[in-house]
Amino acid sequence: QVQLVESGGGLVQAGGSLRLSCAASGRTFSSYVMGWFRQVPGKEREFVAAINWSGSGTNYADSVKGRFTISRDNAKNTVYLQMNSLKPEDTSVYCCAAGRWGMGTMRPDYWGQGTQVTVSS
């Protein structure tokens, strides 16, 4: 069992930056692919980024590529999402996930409750 708690969301102006953190419980954190997803009310959950167990491999949605960076610190059981050059369309609830990689996408087994990111124009 893995429990995930996100932090770092908030209100920021367009062009600004935020850094999200996701703290995980459990001794098997380093064995999971970790990722971030986002969702706005009335829309489907959208994949944002994922990182493999060692941190050597990452994957991003086209909409955030070049602006967002995912990283992890296995010693701290924490995964991060550095978000730069934020746009109003990045406004969403961002959720951390732990899972596997399969068939070209991340397949979450565990979810955090999410943190709100609001980007004003």
Side-chain angles (χ1 to χ4, degrees):
Q1 191 81 0
V2 176
Q3 292 185 329
L4 305 171
V5 179
E6 302 94 336
S7 60
L11 174 64
V12 63
Q13 287 189 332
S17 298
L18 280 175
R19 188 194 196 202
L20 305 183
S21 299
C22 173
S25 65
R27 294 177 292 178
T28 59
F29 171 79
S30 61
S31 66
Y32 287 98
V33 171
M34 298 298 298
W36 291 93
F37 292 74
R38 64 188 183 186
Q39 188 170 22
V40 296
K43 292 189 177 182
E44 288 191 3
R45 184 177 284 153
E46 176 189 14
F47 168 78
V48 176
I51 188 166
N52 68 357
W53 70 273
S54 67
S56 62
T58 57
N59 191 273
Y60 297 92
D62 287 343
S63 58
V64 306
K65 204 170 290 184
R67 300 188 297 123
F68 291 11
T69 302
I70 188 170
S71 61
R72 67 190 295 164
D73 185 337
N74 288 341
K76 296 182 178 180
N77 279 13
T78 302
V79 62
Y80 306 97
L81 186 68
Q82 178 67 45
M83 305 185 295
N84 298 328
S85 302
L86 282 161
K87 305 175 182 180
E89 52 264 42
D90 294 319
T91 295
S92 189
V93 174
Y94 285 72
C95 292
C96 176
R100 300 153 288 143
W101 189 266
M103 299 183 67
T105 188
M106 182 182 173
R107 301 189 175 276
D109 294 317
Y110 303 99
W111 292 96
Q113 293 204 343
T115 185
Q116 177 71 45
V117 171
T118 303
V119 184
S120 62
S121 57

